[in-house]
Amino acid sequence: MSRTRGPTGAGRTAARRCGVVVAVRHDVPMGHVVLFHSVYGLRPAVSAAADRLRAAGHLVAVPDLYGQPPVDTVEEGFALLDRIGQETVLDRARAALDRLPPDTVLAGFSMGAGVAGAMLAERRDTAGLLLLHGTGGSPAAVRPGLPIALHLADPDQYDPPEEVDTWQREMTAAGADLVVHRYPGAGHLFTDPTVPDHDPVATDLTWDRALAFLART
């Protein structure tokens, strides 16, 4: 991960993020993360997730891959993606990454996990791949020891277990340091509190694990 020092001075400073007072260490290096949104678009849940990571000291970019307001249903999301086009979405992801260090962690929600995986082929120096609600990346893009964490509902309606198992075997065989976290009974986009999929227990566990993953990369 790209490392940047915080403000001058050691120790902890209380900071208010998302209505919660958190302790931010100014003597701990911070890492860059890019967080790609789901097919719904740049919803408040994505910005709230970025704030969670920022509160832990990370430098987080949250690009808008649509350039249009987010939608309320997955059907509307797929329709919007069809109108914008996948190539436009990927071009906007590349443009956002052009401004970030080569070792920026690639992360994303559902469709955004696929975008993060697609960018892996062009960002071989990334410090890690954090996949939320969907697989991403191909074995050909993996360098030995690349840290990857997948957080997925079990079962997930968009990623059948047999396909996930095959992906996991292939990525591991290619040299990835891959961990798959499954959340039984959770809905597909369970970290978003504004959709029916939401599972608060699984959400808290996901973010605890994600922050531990980022601390190691």
Side-chain angles (χ1 to χ4, degrees):
M1 233 187 227
S2 178
R3 303 296 180 180
T4 304
R5 290 288 177 181
T8 303
R12 295 178 181 267
T13 298
R16 185 172 295 275
R17 297 291 177 93
C18 300
V20 179
V21 175
V22 298
V24 178
R25 287 189 62 90
H26 295 321
D27 57 341
V28 177
M30 296 181 288
H32 287 265
V33 181
V34 63
L35 190 58
F36 297 118
H37 61 71
S38 75
V39 75
Y40 284 88
L42 188 52
R43 291 166 62 86
V46 181
S47 299
D51 281 340
R52 281 183 184 249
L53 303 185
R54 292 180 184 123
H58 301 287
L59 304 173
V60 187
V62 188
D64 184 352
L65 304 179
Y66 285 172
Q68 296 188 34
V71 297
D72 295 324
T73 69
V74 67
E75 293 79 12
E76 292 174 318
F78 281 119
L80 183 56
L81 174 60
D82 286 342
R83 290 197 299 273
I84 294 170
Q86 293 189 4
E87 286 306 313
T88 297
V89 165
L90 293 175
D91 285 344
R92 288 173 177 170
R94 292 185 185 97
L97 286 167
D98 283 345
R99 300 187 291 270
L100 297 172
D103 59 350
T104 295
V105 170
L106 303 170
F109 295 89
S110 192
M111 179 198 81
V115 173
M119 294 298 102
L120 176 63
E122 305 171 20
R123 305 275 297 192
R124 301 299 292 268
D125 291 332
T126 181
L129 190 61
L130 175 59
L131 305 172
L132 303 160
H133 315 298
T135 57
S138 69
V142 170
R143 71 169 189 271
L146 174 69
I148 303 177
L150 169 64
H151 299 265
L152 196 67
D154 184 18
D156 186 280
Q157 65 191 96
Y158 299 107
D159 282 285
E162 59 275 12
E163 292 183 9
V164 175
D165 290 345
T166 298
W167 174 84
Q168 182 176 5
R169 287 195 299 270
E170 292 176 350
M171 296 291 277
T172 301
D177 180 7
L178 170 62
V179 177
V180 176
H181 301 285
R182 301 176 189 260
Y183 300 84
H188 170 67
L189 199 63
F190 61 80
T191 60
D192 188 333
T194 65
V195 300
D197 291 341
H198 181 54
D199 184 318
V201 175
T203 296
D204 288 343
L205 183 54
T206 294
W207 290 118
D208 285 346
R209 288 170 167 171
L211 287 170
F213 172 79
L214 291 174
R216 293 193 299 270
T217 58

